[in-house]
């Protein structure tokens, strides 16, 4: 994954799919540290994607903004407040309200 600064600094490791609409809603990314050791896990909304290449996903925000996103914790992703906080941080409409822009 790449932000607007040069060089990718994160790996895309998973997708969160909406059970009702069967659409990808978030990319699960890891950054910093080493995979599984000291790495931060975060969910980035697909609305933030500006370009996809064979070896990179580009996000239309600075890397420092991406890095400040709420941390991903599998124990809390089932809690509605987690998604409220995530959408508040990224400032995209909530996908469950139906006004979200699906990228690409």
């Amino acid at each position: 994954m790449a932000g607007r600064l040069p060089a990718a600094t994160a790996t895309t490791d998973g997708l969160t799919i909406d059970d009702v609409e069967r659409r990808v809603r978030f990319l699960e990314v890891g950054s910093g540290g080493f995979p599984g050791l000291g790495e931060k896990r975060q969910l980035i909304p697909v609305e933030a994607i500006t370009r996809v290449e064979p070896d990179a996903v580009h996000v239309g925000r600075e890397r420092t903004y991406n890095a400040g996103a709420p941390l991903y914790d599998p124990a809390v992703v089932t809690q509605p407040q987690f998604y409220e906080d995530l959408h508040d941080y990224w400032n995209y409409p909530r996908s469950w309200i139906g006004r979200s822009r699906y990228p690409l």
Side-chain angles (χ1 to χ4, degrees), residues 23-86:
R23 289 182 164 207
V24 174
R25 296 296 181 191
F26 297 97
L27 299 174
E28 179 186 335
V29 299
S31 62
F34 297 98
L37 182 63
E39 183 180 50
K40 288 187 347 181
R41 314 285 315 147
Q42 295 163 304
L43 297 180
I44 308 269
V46 295
E47 293 89 350
I49 297 171
T50 57
R51 189 170 79 238
V52 176
E53 298 176 358
D55 60 348
V57 174
H58 297 266
V59 176
R61 304 280 177 112
E62 299 288 343
R63 279 188 293 172
T64 54
Y65 189 87
N66 301 342
L71 295 178
Y72 169 71
D73 179 354
V76 297
V77 294
T78 58
Q79 299 172 12
Q81 188 61 49
F82 174 77
Y83 291 102
E84 292 283 340
D85 294 344
L86 198 56

